[in-house]
Amino acid sequence: MNKPSKTTITRRKFITASAISAGGLALLSMKPAFAHGLLSAQKQYTVRQVIDLILKEGNLLPIPNTVDTFKSGDGNTIVTGIVTTMFATVDVIKQTAKLGANFIIAHEPTFYNHLDDPNWVKDNSVVKQKQALLKKYGITIWRFHDYIHNLKPDAVEYGSMKKLNWLPYFKSDSPTLTIPQTNLGALVQHVKTSLGIAHLRIIGDLKQPCSRITYLPGASGGKMQVDFSERDKPDVLIVGELSEWETAEYIRDARLFGSKISLIILGHNFSEDPGMDYFVEWLQPKLAGVKISHIKSGDPFTWM
């Protein structure tokens, strides 16, 4: 092997020194695409940029008079982390702060009424305390109700079907699906286990065979619940919540007239939470470098 000349050694030292001084030594061994990916992973986003990205990636058109607005903070905040949840409860807000996140995407109201009007009940002490807590932690809340239901497929329905392992039977254009035949008791147990629900309210015979299911999460209302029951003739109607004087009484009388239709009430939170959980999976690949977590707001009730 020939001994390198002084000129060669000097040239090597110059190149190495130049790379180090430019902070580029590590990048010398990287492919341009990887280096670009590293830079994009360090990109910062404002809340408004995240929302715009969601609307763009979801092919979502603006919805007039939507409730999907800021409930605290504003769109200029630099995002340090994102949390999805059903309800931005006091516990969820505190957990968000512990994670170092400052942007909550909540499916349902923060201030106890559909429009999140803080003056819905004048001088509401709980609203004032919650607003102070959000200000203390510098957390922005954006409601994501109307838009998530307009994704194709509806992310709330899709997330629920995924948790229930019913995606092979799911049709995005209908809430009614046909699963392999089981009985109501086994179906109740499957729903409880899949969705992490300790207790369910039902109307029906636990031994009754069933396979045709209509799934209506959230608070779709008595008219829609009864309408689909009449139109699709399901063996079991599964709902988030209902007015007991509407759908529950319809199911009770229907059974007294000889119908075999049964009812399972999940609770509003449990029926839609899988969608906000699934949304993390939907959004994370689109926001490199931003940590996105799901926090369950949980059941507010104690069962005795």
Side-chain angles (χ1 to χ4, degrees):
M1 181 181 292
N2 294 328
K3 185 177 179 180
S5 67
K6 291 183 179 180
T7 303
T8 302
I9 293 173
T10 302
R11 185 180 297 115
R12 287 177 181 172
K13 287 182 178 179
F14 173 77
I15 292 172
T16 301
S18 299
I20 293 173
S21 65
L25 182 59
L27 292 177
L28 289 175
S29 61
M30 295 180 183
K31 295 180 180 180
F34 181 78
H36 175 73
L38 182 65
L39 292 173
S40 66
Q42 296 172 344
K43 176 178 172 60
Q44 288 186 321
Y45 297 87
T46 65
V47 166
R48 173 52 63 191
Q49 287 173 326
V50 172
I51 293 172
D52 288 344
L53 181 145
I54 291 170
L55 300 185
K56 179 181 178 181
E57 293 293 321
N59 295 315
L60 297 168
L61 297 175
I63 299 175
N65 302 314
T66 181
V67 294
D68 293 1
T69 57
F70 294 123
K71 311 307 175 185
S72 71
D74 60 62
N76 296 320
T77 301
I78 299 296
V79 175
T80 61
I82 299 172
V83 164
T84 71
T85 192
M86 271 292 292
F87 293 90
T89 66
V90 170
D91 282 341
V92 168
I93 293 167
K94 290 179 177 179
Q95 289 181 61
T96 298
K98 285 182 180 179
L99 288 174
N102 64 350
F103 182 24
I104 296 176
I105 299 177
H107 186 60
E108 295 297 4
T110 299
F111 298 118
Y112 324 118
N113 65 94
H114 185 56
L115 298 179
D116 277 297
D117 178 3
N119 296 312
W120 182 56
V121 173
K122 190 176 180 180
D123 295 325
N124 188 324
S125 61
V126 178
V127 167
K128 291 179 180 179
Q129 291 178 83
K130 198 170 190 179
Q131 289 173 326
L133 185 67
L134 289 163
K135 185 176 181 180
K136 172 185 174 182
Y137 291 125
I139 290 176
T140 295
I141 296 179
W142 178 59
R143 189 172 178 191
F144 189 42
H145 180 274
D146 298 346
Y147 284 113
I148 194 171
H149 283 302
N150 277 276
L151 287 174
K152 303 297 181 186
D154 180 321
V156 170
E157 293 178 0
Y158 187 89
S160 297
M161 294 298 104
K162 185 176 182 180
K163 286 273 188 182
L164 289 162
N165 291 316
W166 288 348
L167 282 179
Y169 321 110
F170 172 59
K171 296 179 180 179
S172 61
D173 61 348
S174 173
T176 301
L177 60 153
T178 301
I179 64 172
Q181 185 166 301
T182 183
N183 61 55
L184 183 61
L187 178 65
V188 167
Q189 189 57 50
H190 172 73
V191 170
K192 288 172 65 176
T193 301
S194 300
L195 302 184
I197 306 176
H199 303 88
L200 290 174
R201 289 193 294 166
I202 69 166
I203 297 175
D205 178 358
L206 293 179
K207 297 179 181 179
Q208 178 182 315
C210 53
S211 64
R212 189 166 172 79
I213 313 294
T214 295
Y215 188 90
L216 295 173
S220 53
K223 188 176 188 306
M224 179 179 288
Q225 291 163 354
V226 173
D227 181 66
F228 274 107
S229 298
E230 287 289 313
R231 193 187 74 182
D232 289 2
K233 306 296 182 187
D235 300 319
V236 184
L237 173 67
I238 301 178
V239 302
E241 66 172 89
L242 48 70
S243 295
E244 295 183 14
W245 52 276
E246 294 176 338
T247 308
E249 291 305 321
Y250 160 81
I251 296 291
R252 175 156 63 175
D253 276 348
R255 292 184 61 81
L256 289 172
F257 277 125
S259 171
K260 299 299 183 182
I261 189 171
S262 297
L263 174 70
I264 298 176
I265 307 172
L266 304 176
H268 195 129
N269 179 79
F270 286 111
S271 73
E272 296 193 294
D273 182 74
M276 296 307 292
D277 190 3
Y278 164 70
F279 188 66
V280 174
E281 182 182 327
W282 185 93
L283 183 59
Q284 186 65 84
K286 303 171 177 61
L287 282 175
V290 178
K291 183 179 180 181
I292 308 175
S293 309
H294 176 68
I295 298 178
K296 294 179 180 294
S297 49
D299 192 346
F301 302 105
T302 298
W303 297 83
M304 298 181 68

